[in-house]
Every structure is written in C-alpha cells, then in structure tokens.
Amino acid sequence: MRTYQIAAGKTGEFLGIYEREGLGIISQYARLEGCWTKDSGTLNSIVFCWGYEDYAHRAAQRVKLAADPRWQASRRAFCRISSIRNRCSCRRCRFARWTEVSDEFSGRVWPRVPRTG
C-alpha cells in the first residue's frame, strides 16, 4: 500500500494527473488492486493498493519502474502537489474474502474469487 498526502483542495487534480500521466505506466509493472480517498482520519489522502506475485516480484518491478524515464517524468508532475505519507507491504490474511474490486479510473468492477487453504 502507498498513501499520498495531497495538498488541501488538490485531490481531484492529483487523481487527474495520476490517471493521465502515471497510471498507464505503473500498470505495466504492478496490478492496481484498489485506490481510495479518505473520508475520515487523515484527510486529503489517497491510498493505492498494488498487487505483485510475491515480495521478490515487487522488488524487481519497483526497480524497473524507477528506471523508466516515462515514470520519472510523470512522477514529478503529481509529486508537486503530494508527498508519500507511508509505504508498506501487506499480505492478505487467509480469512479475508474479496467480493469485488472497483476501478475508480475506468468504472470497471472485477469479481474476485477468494483463495482457499
């Protein structure tokens, strides 16, 4: 998960820039599992959840992403109005069940089949 702290009143602008200039690039390296804006707690925050096969895959993909000149350029655009608040790696607990994941950028909804075992 990655949380961006957005300058007050700039959440819509951040999401627009991210969608136009960053999403297509980072999606070549990671699978967007979810993107949320906060309604409580620390406001003006956007939380992204990116999926990888495992931690080694994540590490390799992050190196490739960081080296991509298109990402370097687009990142500068949206980082002007945000800062990375926190980063963490998470693993879904075996008892957690996905019902669906919605894609804020396209409006698509994908059903999720929970893993068993």
Side-chain angles (χ1 to χ4, degrees):
M1 287 194 181
R2 184 164 296 232
T3 302
Y4 289 91
Q5 185 65 40
I6 311 302
K10 299 287 187 177
T11 300
E13 181 181 347
F14 175 91
L15 288 171
I17 293 169
Y18 201 93
E19 181 178 12
R20 281 189 316 275
E21 300 184 28
L23 185 62
I25 300 165
I26 194 171
S27 293
Q28 294 174 24
Y29 301 97
R31 183 180 62 255
L32 181 62
E33 297 288 353
C35 177
W36 301 270
T37 57
K38 291 187 175 182
D39 290 335
S40 64
T42 306
L43 299 179
N44 301 310
S45 297
I46 300 174
V47 179
F48 287 90
C49 181
W50 295 98
Y52 300 91
E53 294 169 16
D54 55 31
Y55 193 79
H57 179 247
R58 177 192 180 277
Q61 294 301 93
R62 297 292 301 171
V63 167
K64 292 176 190 174
L65 175 64
D68 189 323
R70 299 168 307 150
W71 177 249
Q72 294 167 10
S74 69
R75 191 171 180 273
R76 281 191 290 274
F78 60 80
C79 283
R80 284 193 308 264
I81 57 172
S82 69
S83 62
I84 297 173
R85 183 170 173 82
N86 61 38
R87 303 169 205 189
C88 65
S89 296
C90 301
R91 186 177 306 213
R92 184 173 57 84
C93 297
R94 64 178 173 77
F95 56 81
R97 301 176 64 86
W98 288 95
T99 55
E100 66 182 26
V101 175
S102 62
D103 179 345
E104 176 176 341
F105 295 106
S106 70
R108 291 184 303 235
V109 176
W110 295 283
R112 292 289 178 166
V113 177
R115 293 184 199 163
T116 57

